[in-house]
Amino acid sequence: MKIPFVDLGAQYKSVKNDMDAAIHRVLDNTAFIGGNEVDEFEENFEELYGVKHCIPVGNGTDSLYIIMKMLGIGAGDEVITPANSWISSSETITQTGATPVFADIEEDYFTIDPNHIEELISNNTKAIMPVHLYGQMCDMDAIMDIAKKHNLYVIEDCAQSHFSEYKGTRAGLLGDAGSFSFYPGKNLGAYGDAGAIITNDDELAEKCKMYARHGALKKHEHEMEGINSRLDGMQAAILKVKLPHILRWTDQRIQNAKLYYQYLSEIDEIEIPKVREETTHTFHLYVIRAKIRDELSDFLNKNGISNAIHYPRILPNLAAYSYLEHSTNDFPIAEKYESQILSLPMYPELTDDKIEYVSKVIKKFYRSIV
Ligand SMILES: *Cc1c(COP(=O)(O)O)cnc(C)c1O
């Protein structure tokens, strides 16, 4: 059996007629940038997600950058973000002129540790950027308390957590703004780069929209200099086709995680993902912690099962951040997990027999080495 890590082809096939029609509609109407498709996606996403403003942008990196820039974050400021994430989280902090300050992660949930955030706060701290990694919500009550106490902005990186919920509130609606990526492999994915900002703050929404469109809300009326970060018509049309299915696809991920849990919980050599209480984990990634991880990864590959590591190096250990001169003891949990984490195949169309097969192969691996 061959099991891919994600299967974008299976999803395309399931909506092929609508998708092909949508793509041809864009070609027929030649509305390649802006236009109806983008406006309608914006409205549909706002309605489905339950948020006042959705600002479609070019990708999920720009969205982080634009939010911070429009909150006035810049040179001399510090923004606290987790040591374990994709580089966009920290890279965009630097892009604003501010300095990324890395916090360790929680032992149980892989997300930023609020206790470490407290220790890192200085007079220059302007914001916290929690990342709801793998689809798991951060400890938002604790984070919002810290933010209130120290008067900090909270920018939620929701690139991996579309429709995740914390005590009934969706990711991106607890802080000042939420940032989404619609990169093809994300839970809601376009067929190219795409992203969005969400916020209930009218003023921030208008600023972000203006900044992403060369500083102009009306053509040629540039109130400021901005950047070019637009969602194109083709990607908007593609996302619009997927929106009516996203809640079902999200639920299928959750069901797949439940099945993995049934099969994998009895294996002592691995630790399966825990879900924070009173939250909905949407399983963008299904990340286990495994003994002799690299050997297990090879064994899975040999048995036709694709797998990956998110992420092989924690951000402070990347060459890009060597200037921060962190030592190996600065992030004990993130450091420890770096050599243990392994992402197993996870996508809505993953079938029960495939989950069973992955589980069997993992069991076989650990039996073979005792
Ligand atoms: C994917 C991702 C991003 C960036 O999104 P792009 O659309 O690829 O720019 C940012 N943060 C996290 C945590 C991500 O996983």
Side-chain angles (χ1 to χ4, degrees):
M1 204 183 301
K2 272 238 173 298
I3 307 182
F5 189 65
V6 292
D7 190 350
L8 300 180
Q11 190 168 83
Y12 168 58
K13 274 187 207 117
S14 76
V15 293
K16 187 174 181 339
N17 288 342
D18 289 348
M19 192 59 87
D20 292 356
I23 289 169
H24 280 100
R25 199 169 60 233
V26 175
L27 294 175
D28 286 336
N29 296 337
T30 62
F32 298 122
I33 299 281
N36 281 348
E37 300 290 345
V38 179
D39 293 346
E40 281 171 29
F41 169 70
E42 185 179 317
E43 281 165 29
N44 294 357
F45 192 81
E46 282 165 358
E47 194 182 336
L48 184 65
Y49 210 81
V51 63
K52 219 165 155 191
H53 305 284
C54 164
I55 301 115
V57 295
N59 57 69
T61 305
D62 283 355
S63 46
L64 288 168
Y65 166 72
I66 294 166
I67 295 166
M68 286 188 282
K69 189 86 182 163
M70 291 304 99
L71 287 171
I73 292 164
D77 297 334
E78 291 172 3
V79 179
I80 301 172
T81 200
N84 183 27
S85 185
W86 174 242
I87 193 166
S88 299
S89 308
S90 48
E91 182 177 64
T92 51
I93 296 169
T94 310
Q95 280 166 17
T96 67
T99 305
V101 175
F102 294 112
D104 204 0
I105 57 172
E106 291 175 288
E107 189 127 31
D108 281 344
Y109 306 113
F110 300 110
T111 47
I112 193 165
D113 181 353
N115 294 318
H116 199 198
I117 294 177
E118 284 260 43
E119 291 169 27
L120 295 168
I121 288 174
S122 78
N123 289 332
N124 298 324
T125 309
K126 270 282 158 57
I128 306 168
M129 185 200 294
V131 182
H132 308 305
L133 201 71
Y134 311 151
Q136 172 97 267
M137 291 297 296
C138 296
D139 185 353
M140 289 306 288
D141 278 350
I143 291 167
M144 294 311 292
D145 281 351
I146 296 168
K148 270 200 197 88
K149 191 168 138 200
H150 299 275
N151 199 22
L152 307 173
Y153 293 120
V154 175
I155 300 116
E156 296 179 69
D157 186 342
C158 309
Q160 302 188 6
S161 59
H162 314 67
F163 298 92
S164 295
E165 287 182 14
Y166 182 89
K167 298 187 178 175
T169 303
R170 284 187 172 145
L173 298 174
L174 293 141
D176 294 279
S179 166
F180 287 99
S181 167
F182 304 127
Y183 176 84
K186 296 287 160 75
N187 284 18
L188 177 61
Y191 290 166
D193 276 314
I197 295 162
I198 61 164
T199 181
N200 284 322
D201 180 331
D202 298 338
E203 200 189 318
L204 180 62
E206 187 166 291
K207 277 189 188 166
C208 290
K209 190 162 196 167
M210 192 186 286
Y211 190 72
R213 284 146 188 72
H214 297 293
L217 286 174
K218 276 199 203 137
K219 205 165 193 179
H220 302 306
E221 292 185 19
H222 304 275
E223 315 249 342
M224 59 177 169
E225 287 184 333
I227 61 169
N228 176 9
S229 186
R230 299 178 292 221
L231 178 68
D232 65 69
M234 194 69 85
Q235 301 311 330
I238 288 161
L239 289 166
K240 243 177 62 193
V241 170
K242 289 193 174 191
L243 264 189
H245 304 282
I246 188 61
L247 293 175
R248 180 169 49 87
W249 287 336
T250 302
D251 191 55
Q252 282 168 351
R253 287 176 182 274
I254 295 169
Q255 297 311 320
N256 289 343
K258 281 187 183 150
L259 202 56
Y260 264 134
Y261 176 88
Q262 277 182 29
Y263 288 122
L264 297 177
S265 51
E266 60 196 63
I267 306 176
D268 292 336
E269 291 87 350
I270 64 170
E271 195 72 53
I272 55 177
K274 294 191 178 79
V275 178
R276 191 188 302 282
E277 269 185 54
E278 296 182 78
T279 70
T280 308
H281 187 323
T282 52
F283 291 98
H284 170 56
L285 295 168
Y286 191 85
V287 179
I288 63 167
R289 291 198 288 121
K291 288 203 173 127
I292 45 172
R293 189 266 320 265
D294 293 341
E295 289 84 345
L296 173 61
S297 169
D298 289 345
F299 192 76
L300 288 169
N301 281 323
K302 267 187 215 124
N303 285 277
I305 301 165
S306 298
N307 58 93
I309 298 166
H310 300 88
Y311 294 91
R313 305 285 302 275
I314 62 172
L315 296 170
N317 286 352
L318 294 171
Y321 296 108
S322 58
Y323 73 97
L324 292 173
E325 296 184 336
H326 280 296
S327 80
T328 47
N329 301 324
D330 291 343
F331 313 98
I333 308 289
E335 279 270 0
K336 185 169 92 178
Y337 287 5
E338 198 185 58
S339 59
Q340 302 178 343
I341 49 179
L342 187 69
S343 309
L344 301 180
M346 171 56 84
Y347 46 92
E349 299 78 11
L350 186 63
T351 50
D352 292 4
D353 60 321
K354 290 198 166 82
I355 294 171
E356 191 181 355
Y357 175 69
V358 173
S359 310
K360 272 193 184 145
V361 172
I362 295 175
K363 274 180 208 165
K364 194 171 156 196
F365 170 73
Y366 286 112
R367 269 204 310 268
S368 72
I369 56 156
V370 287

